[in-house]
Amino acid sequence: MLILVVIRSTRERQLFRELSEHDGLTGLCNHQHTLRLGQHEFALSRASLRPFTAIVADIDHFKQINDRFGHAAGDTVLRTLGHLLREAFPATAVIGRSGGEEFTVLLQATAEQARFLIEDLRQRILPLSAAGQRIEYSLSFGVCEANPRIAQLEDILREADKALYAAKRTGRDRIVNADDIASIDRPAPGLILVGSGPQPRQHLGMRAVRDIEEADCVFCLLPHAAFLQIQDCRHDAIDLTHHLREIADEPFDPHRIEDVVMAAVRTGQRACLVVSNSLSALSRQVLQRARQEGHRARWEAGISAESIVFADLALESTAQGLQTIDSHLLVEQERQIDNRSQLLLWYTPARVEHDAAHPNKECLARLQERLEMDYPAEHAITIYFPGSASEPAFRTQSVALCELGRQRLNTRCALVISPRTDQLTDIRGELRELLRASGQGHAARDSQPTGDDPNDRSEH
């Protein structure tokens, strides 16, 4: 009985050790066990004067596989890849899952031999079928061979990571050797503006996602829930929304945001600014400033804010026309309104106040006063509150113009104002018609022959 207990206890300890050292999904070594075995293999290679190479691999756009097909499909990809890695590399290689969709292979071989094995692995990767759907995936690889300059395992892995980042930055689905990083054409420095709706996962195209991932630094002017979605692909993304608030009771100054972004551009970095569609005017200012200073600048458009509003509210602009303007431009620059067409007004106050009971009271009062110059006090206004990443459903609120100053709005809101249909639709337009008709009458009479008396101007 004692012998049986000892045997059972030994087997259980071996099982627990196996579970603690290996990844439960793929069966590969976990990160800590990979490093322990790697140190042993590295020491053997140095003692025997054999080459040693580290390979770091990452599944391209793995998060999109999870989002599109579900996490069960993502697990299938990981399990299959674990099996393929064991098939493609020799039994003496240390193969581990470093975490998430990243894998590490450590083996006694040259970088060229490692590249040959990677190509064999790539040939084995075929589309998968999960839940009746076809799943295609690819990997990016970073390779680094030990040399006198890189003589520690941690340094080898660090250089392999840099090569992996270069592979992902230059297009993915490729192999990059650490020695070739300097010769790879890196994206040109400059500024890229990416416009996004409230849900970046749905509102950003593939090119915009690539711009975000390849940038040296990423700045965001997005609602918090949307910013968290950007952080899923760029953990180092910087939130700039605090610059939209007052500092020491000073009014909002858009140049604060421009200065932060341009500071990165001037140092030769490739900066990416992801902005909400409701802040398009501010985005244009940053873009113009970059171009004025001679930097490369491009706007990668996402789904427009107008498209989202029109889809949510089922608006139709073809019959009546559409006028779109920011509220601060309407108030500060005295822009004209054509009240015979539909008006889409983005709420962008020139001053952000922090009165919790009644925020932006002064701005709303000035906006109401300006709108009452073109619309009656009882004219209906639809306030549009867009959905967000946390609450996808939008909502609306209908108020009379005379009640606008008492509402609570934020910079994501839009005001939809229908055309006037009463008799006083456009007094200014009627005055223009009268003046035009009067001018034509003057021209016609001036062209007629005059009477004998040149001083007779009664008809004129």
Side-chain angles (χ1 to χ4, degrees):
M1 289 292 294
L2 181 59
I3 293 173
L4 291 176
V5 170
V6 171
I7 293 174
R8 181 176 179 181
S9 177
T10 302
R11 289 177 177 174
E12 288 179 350
R13 283 199 302 270
Q14 290 175 346
L15 177 61
F16 292 148
R17 182 176 181 180
E18 182 76 13
L19 292 175
S20 67
E21 293 177 343
H22 291 78
D23 175 57
L25 182 63
T26 62
L28 302 176
C29 299
N30 60 27
H31 182 61
Q32 294 300 325
H33 193 46
T34 300
L35 293 180
R36 284 195 294 268
L37 295 179
Q39 289 285 8
H40 178 69
E41 289 295 315
F42 185 50
L44 291 178
S45 70
R46 297 189 67 180
S48 59
L49 301 179
R50 299 189 62 185
F52 183 87
T53 298
I55 303 169
V56 180
D58 187 270
I59 302 176
D60 299 326
H61 300 299
F62 182 70
K63 184 170 181 57
Q64 294 184 18
I65 295 176
N66 282 332
D67 292 342
R68 181 179 178 184
F69 302 104
H71 289 276
D75 290 346
T76 300
V77 172
L78 292 172
R79 280 194 296 267
T80 303
L81 184 56
H83 177 71
L84 295 177
L85 286 167
R86 285 190 293 266
E87 285 186 346
F89 291 94
T92 55
V94 179
I95 308 173
R97 181 185 176 193
S98 305
E101 65 272 22
E102 187 171 305
F103 298 83
T104 302
V105 181
L106 306 173
L107 70 165
Q108 296 185 30
T110 63
E112 189 62 32
Q113 291 170 335
R115 191 181 188 95
F116 176 82
L117 294 172
I118 293 172
E119 292 293 353
D120 180 46
L121 172 65
R122 296 176 73 188
Q123 295 295 323
R124 297 171 186 264
I125 295 176
L126 301 174
L128 301 177
S129 178
Q133 295 179 308
R134 178 185 173 91
I135 304 174
E136 297 183 357
Y137 67 100
S138 62
L139 277 76
S140 298
F141 300 88
V143 179
C144 179
E145 182 179 349
N147 56 55
R149 183 178 59 86
I150 310 174
Q152 299 293 329
L153 180 60
E154 293 78 5
D155 296 333
I156 299 172
L157 290 172
R158 188 180 302 110
E159 293 299 316
D161 272 330
K162 291 180 181 179
L164 171 63
Y165 178 74
K168 298 179 77 67
R169 179 165 48 81
T170 54
R172 293 182 172 79
D173 192 18
R174 62 190 60 198
I175 308 168
V176 172
N177 193 307
D179 294 335
D180 300 331
I181 294 179
S183 62
I184 293 177
D185 293 332
R186 74 182 296 271
L191 173 65
I192 300 175
L193 282 172
V194 174
S196 172
Q199 302 180 61
R201 288 194 187 117
Q202 285 75 34
H203 296 158
L204 290 179
M206 294 297 295
R207 182 176 176 181
V209 172
R210 186 171 65 250
D211 286 332
I212 293 172
E213 293 179 344
E214 294 179 356
D216 296 320
C217 53
V218 178
F219 303 99
C220 295
L221 285 171
L222 297 169
H224 182 66
F227 172 69
L228 294 179
Q229 291 190 3
I230 296 296
Q231 278 194 316
D232 288 341
C233 61
R234 281 301 296 259
H235 300 291
D236 58 345
I238 301 172
D239 187 5
L240 295 182
T241 53
H242 63 280
H243 288 287
L244 295 175
R245 298 189 290 270
E246 288 181 326
I247 298 179
D249 296 328
E250 296 178 1
F252 159 61
D253 181 8
H255 294 298
R256 289 201 297 263
I257 294 174
E258 293 181 28
D259 293 340
V260 172
V261 177
M262 292 305 302
V265 176
R266 294 188 189 106
T267 59
Q269 298 187 69
R270 182 181 175 88
C272 180
L273 176 60
V274 188
V275 296
S276 170
N277 284 324
S278 60
L279 296 172
S280 57
L282 176 60
S283 307
R284 286 191 293 271
Q285 294 176 16
V286 180
L287 189 73
Q288 291 172 0
R289 185 170 172 180
R291 289 174 174 171
Q292 289 172 356
E293 294 185 11
H295 302 287
R296 296 169 60 95
R298 171 171 59 86
W299 192 326
E300 182 63 28
I303 296 178
S304 69
E306 287 87 351
S307 299
I308 297 173
V309 175
F310 270 55
D312 287 344
L313 301 184
L315 298 178
E316 176 60 48
S317 65
T318 54
Q320 300 166 327
L322 173 68
Q323 187 175 5
T324 302
I325 193 171
D326 292 346
S327 63
H328 80 275
L329 295 178
L330 179 64
V331 174
E332 302 295 332
Q333 300 183 12
E334 299 182 358
R335 299 290 182 89
Q336 298 299 315
I337 294 177
D338 182 1
N339 56 16
R340 296 168 298 181
S341 64
Q342 198 160 231
L343 176 64
L344 181 59
L345 193 65
W346 299 111
Y347 182 62
T348 53
R351 178 183 177 88
V352 181
E353 303 167 11
H354 295 290
D355 181 0
H358 206 145
N360 306 324
K361 181 178 180 179
E362 179 183 347
C363 292
L364 280 174
R366 294 180 63 190
L367 178 60
Q368 176 181 326
E369 181 181 356
R370 172 62 186 86
L371 291 173
E372 286 178 346
M373 296 173 61
D374 293 273
Y375 300 92
E378 300 79 15
H379 196 80
I381 294 179
T382 300
I383 304 176
Y384 170 82
F385 299 88
S388 65
S390 57
E391 297 180 2
F394 71 95
R395 63 184 180 91
T396 60
Q397 179 182 355
S398 183
V399 299
L401 175 57
C402 58
E403 300 174 353
L404 180 61
R406 297 192 293 271
Q407 305 306 312
R408 300 187 58 163
L409 306 184
N410 56 51
T411 55
R412 298 172 56 222
C413 294
L415 307 179
V416 181
I417 306 176
S418 59
R420 289 187 63 172
T421 58
D422 56 295
Q423 296 295 325
L424 301 177
T425 300
D426 192 358
I427 296 177
R428 290 193 304 273
E430 296 177 3
L431 290 174
R432 284 194 295 269
E433 291 296 331
L434 289 173
L435 291 173
R436 186 179 300 110
S438 175
Q440 292 174 353
H442 288 257
R445 284 188 291 273
D446 290 342
S447 63
Q448 294 177 357
T450 60
D452 296 334
D453 183 5
N455 297 320
D456 184 8
R457 301 186 182 276
S458 59
E459 184 179 357
H460 177 72

